[in-house]
Amino acid sequence: MESDAGPLGTLPPTARDAILQYLNLFQLKLLRATSRGLKRLIDESPTFVNKCFGDIPFGTVLDRGYEPAVWVRVHQVRIKHCTVISVSTWWPRLADHLTYIYIDHSAFMLPALAEILRNSPNVATLGLHHLRLINPNDRAEKYANFRLAKLTYFSLGKVHEQIAELMRLVISPPQLTNFGCVWDHEPDDDEQLIVDFLEASQGTMKYLGLSPTQEMLQQIGNFERFAPIAATLYCSRFQAEHVVNFSRRVASLTRLILEEISLSDGIILEICANLPNLKDLNVCIFSPETWKPSFLDAAPKLEFLAVQHKPPDGFTHSVPYEGFLLGHPCRPTTVGDFAECPPSPNLKEIILTGINPKPNLHNYLLQSPNLRSVTLDFKSENFSTLLRTVPLAKLQTLTLRSMSIPALELTTVNRFPSLRKLTLVRVEIPSQVLQPLLAMCPGLETVRALSIADDGDVRFMCENLPRLARLELFQCPLTDAAIVHIISFAHRLEKMHISSCYGVSEGAQRQLKALGTIWVQ
């Protein structure tokens, strides 16, 4: 059997697993299919088990006649868009190693759901979302003869009330450390049941994700032993006062993310003043004039800051989520003025979205000795002041989106050897500007570009970035010449991701893969 596995079978298990870590899941499955010996070795590999999800195919009817195509003892399983009638004949064999179960948009017989949970004693992470009952008149208490003793992370949303009741009965408080329940619009689940979950685990709860009503915020804030360290709240614009009150009562928070609600700088100042140990803040602001972040006075321990300029609902047309990811050109922008801002000595990363910072951002960031990453995402016809606005000499990571950089205003320092990763998304920057910028950053190891780099730019990177190990190009105007440049000059390149670059032929990509030294996606 070992000989059937080839040279891999002669290696010690630790060495074998170290090699397998360099393969993605698809490559592992291909290797697994080549021989029985390799199938056995890979199935026993912790690397394969950790990477493999036991996904049930979409649309499957799970009943007594169903059986998984592969009996790999995975740690994770996902069931989506399925009808679950009975699992008693096959689930126990699959479930003994499971620590993660996620079920979404499916219909259940209540006994089948109970069977899944009863036979998964090691599950620590469980997500139940958009679930309906085939037998809606069934009662949860008939099947709650077990406990999920190891469950610590639980999320649910839009589930039948008897499913939620079953979970209340089988979760043994206090044990939850993470809890999430997020709705798209109005609450779809029993609000009091959610509050009961949190109250029962208030002594252990550390991470909270919630779409709270005003009443829920008030009730949760009154728990005597409720001391989470992180919270993500999806709130409406009418809840600003309640969020302030919540922050006053839950002063233990070190991380706070406020989604879908645009706040004034004064409100954010009140929230920060209530959280003396705040290290991680992600908020939306609305400032029709110049924005001055006065709340920084009340947050001296910040390590991560993400601020998005977002007009309140009804002020402007909404931007779709896809547009947000790609740097939507219609996102409203305000000016950020960082003059006289107090220093943030612990700041490691800052993300500004829809905020065009004045050059005085440079002086503010210079006072943060631990700063490593800056992301700027805003629409601008001319951001030639990049080098005067961002202290690149301090950074390891720089991400730019949506702006135009027709030229670069040089400064006294124009070499940035510490920069390791550069991401440019829909940035209008001509080659005569991009290439000198790249030359200023000889230590770059990762370059990600969307819609900008051409063949000449790729050749310049390969010839002038000696440490370049990862190159990701999306929707770029490339031809097969770019692949020739990579093969000829990118001798240290380890990973290459090329997508929607329609001028690059499949033959050229196969030639690159044939080298065997570059992992190509």
Side-chain angles (χ1 to χ4, degrees):
M1 186 67 73
E2 296 294 346
S3 61
D4 193 22
L8 197 64
T10 64
L11 298 176
T14 53
R16 182 190 309 144
D17 208 55
I19 293 173
L20 295 179
Q21 288 179 8
Y22 284 92
L23 303 180
N24 61 28
L25 182 57
F26 179 71
Q27 292 168 327
L28 284 170
K29 288 183 176 180
L30 288 178
L31 184 62
R32 181 177 176 274
T34 56
S35 73
R36 291 183 178 180
L38 282 173
K39 178 181 181 297
R40 185 182 62 81
L41 290 180
I42 292 174
D43 284 355
E44 295 175 354
S45 164
T47 293
F48 180 62
V49 171
N50 289 335
K51 289 184 177 182
C52 190
F53 270 92
D55 286 349
I56 305 297
F58 278 26
T60 303
V61 177
L62 305 180
D63 56 18
R64 293 181 181 275
Y66 176 81
E67 185 172 292
V70 178
W71 289 104
V72 177
R73 290 185 170 182
V74 295
H75 295 298
Q76 308 168 100
V77 68
R78 293 178 295 204
I79 301 174
K80 297 183 179 181
H81 299 275
C82 293
T83 301
V84 185
I85 298 173
S86 175
V87 298
S88 58
T89 59
W90 55 272
W91 185 269
R93 183 180 171 190
L94 177 73
D96 56 349
H97 279 62
L98 286 179
T99 60
Y100 173 103
I101 300 175
Y102 184 82
I103 307 175
D104 187 23
H105 283 91
S106 295
F108 274 85
M109 295 290 286
L110 195 56
L113 178 60
E115 187 77 15
I116 287 175
L117 300 177
R118 183 184 297 109
N119 287 283
S120 306
N122 296 310
V123 66
T125 301
L126 175 63
L128 304 176
H129 297 268
H130 300 88
L131 305 186
R132 62 183 181 86
L133 281 188
I134 300 173
N135 52 340
N137 296 322
D138 211 347
R139 309 303 297 176
E141 56 266 20
K142 292 163 46 178
Y143 311 103
N145 58 348
F146 63 97
R147 293 293 180 268
L148 295 175
K150 296 184 179 181
L151 186 68
T152 58
Y153 183 100
F154 178 49
S155 67
L156 85 163
K158 296 188 176 182
V159 302
H160 190 277
E161 60 181 13
Q162 286 303 309
I163 293 177
E165 177 65 14
L166 175 66
M167 298 311 303
R168 187 186 67 81
L169 294 172
V170 302
I171 295 177
S172 301
Q175 68 180 77
L176 293 180
T177 60
N178 299 55
F179 180 81
C181 186
V182 177
W183 305 296
D184 295 334
H185 301 288
E186 295 299 320
D188 292 273
D189 300 284
D190 187 334
E191 296 177 39
Q192 189 56 48
L193 187 63
I194 304 305
V195 173
D196 291 343
F197 272 121
L198 295 174
E199 185 175 19
S201 292
Q202 60 177 296
T204 57
M205 187 66 60
K206 297 300 180 185
Y207 304 94
L208 172 68
L210 201 61
S211 296
T213 62
Q214 298 175 7
E215 293 76 13
M216 292 172 69
L217 278 177
Q218 184 173 358
Q219 290 187 66
I220 296 169
N222 288 330
F223 294 160
E224 293 182 359
R225 295 181 293 112
F226 190 60
I229 61 175
T232 299
L233 303 179
Y234 296 78
C235 299
S236 72
R237 58 194 176 101
F238 304 106
Q239 293 178 288
E241 179 183 350
H242 298 274
V243 172
V244 172
N245 292 334
F246 178 81
S247 67
R248 185 179 298 116
R249 294 167 177 167
V250 189
S252 57
L253 290 174
T254 62
R255 178 184 183 187
L256 179 61
I257 301 175
L258 298 175
E259 298 279 4
E260 301 177 1
I261 178 173
S262 296
L263 301 171
S264 68
D265 202 67
I267 292 293
I268 301 175
L269 175 62
E270 288 189 61
I271 292 172
C272 292
N274 293 331
L275 304 174
N277 296 311
L278 188 63
K279 296 180 180 180
D280 187 330
L281 179 63
N282 189 327
V283 292
C284 297
I285 58 101
F286 174 58
S287 178
E289 306 295 336
T290 298
W291 173 64
K292 295 183 178 182
S294 62
F295 66 82
L296 293 172
D297 281 314
K301 297 182 180 180
L302 274 183
E303 297 180 2
F304 173 87
L305 176 62
V307 183
Q308 177 185 354
H309 179 254
K310 178 183 176 182
D313 296 339
F315 183 86
T316 187
H317 295 295
S318 61
V319 176
Y321 183 66
E322 295 81 1
F324 170 75
L325 289 178
L326 298 177
H328 198 282
C330 297
R331 186 187 302 111
T333 299
T334 192
V335 175
D337 186 356
F338 290 80
E340 302 179 358
C341 279
S344 298
N346 300 313
L347 192 65
K348 298 177 181 178
E349 181 176 359
I350 184 171
I351 300 174
L352 300 179
T353 302
I355 299 171
N356 187 345
K358 290 184 176 181
N360 54 33
L361 174 66
H362 189 281
N363 293 332
Y364 165 68
L365 295 180
L366 276 180
Q367 302 176 78
S368 303
N370 299 313
L371 184 68
R372 295 293 178 266
S373 178
V374 171
T375 297
L376 299 179
D377 181 358
F378 59 88
K379 185 65 177 177
S380 171
E381 297 300 326
N382 189 346
F383 190 54
S384 300
T385 59
L386 169 65
L387 303 184
R388 293 197 295 113
T389 305
V390 181
L392 294 184
K394 297 171 58 65
L395 300 185
Q396 294 180 358
T397 302
L398 175 66
T399 300
L400 302 175
R401 293 193 184 103
S402 307
M403 63 201 64
S404 176
I405 308 178
L408 280 178
E409 298 180 13
L410 300 181
T411 63
T412 55
V413 178
N414 294 308
R415 188 170 177 82
F416 316 108
S418 63
L419 197 67
R420 296 290 180 264
K421 182 176 181 179
L422 176 65
T423 300
L424 302 173
V425 178
R426 298 196 185 281
V427 176
E428 297 179 10
I429 180 170
S431 294
Q432 61 267 29
V433 178
L434 174 60
Q435 293 179 12
L437 176 61
L438 294 170
M440 296 176 190
C441 312
L444 280 173
E445 299 172 356
T446 299
V447 176
R448 304 176 72 238
L450 173 64
S451 301
I452 61 167
D454 59 21
D455 293 342
D457 297 327
V458 171
R459 176 167 184 163
F460 186 89
M461 294 180 208
C462 295
E463 290 182 336
N464 295 276
L465 300 178
R467 302 179 65 172
L468 186 64
R470 186 181 186 115
L471 182 59
E472 301 181 20
L473 303 171
F474 307 91
Q475 301 176 17
C476 292
L478 302 177
T479 68
D480 288 352
I483 304 301
V484 174
H485 299 328
I486 292 171
I487 294 174
S488 302
F489 303 110
H491 301 302
R492 294 192 62 177
L493 196 65
E494 298 175 359
K495 294 184 179 182
M496 174 77 188
H497 189 176
I498 185 167
S499 176
S500 301
C501 300
Y502 299 110
V504 179
S505 67
E506 292 185 5
Q509 295 185 55
R510 285 195 298 268
Q511 186 180 3
L512 183 61
K513 293 178 181 179
L515 290 177
T517 58
I518 302 175
W519 181 72
V520 182
Q521 183 176 352

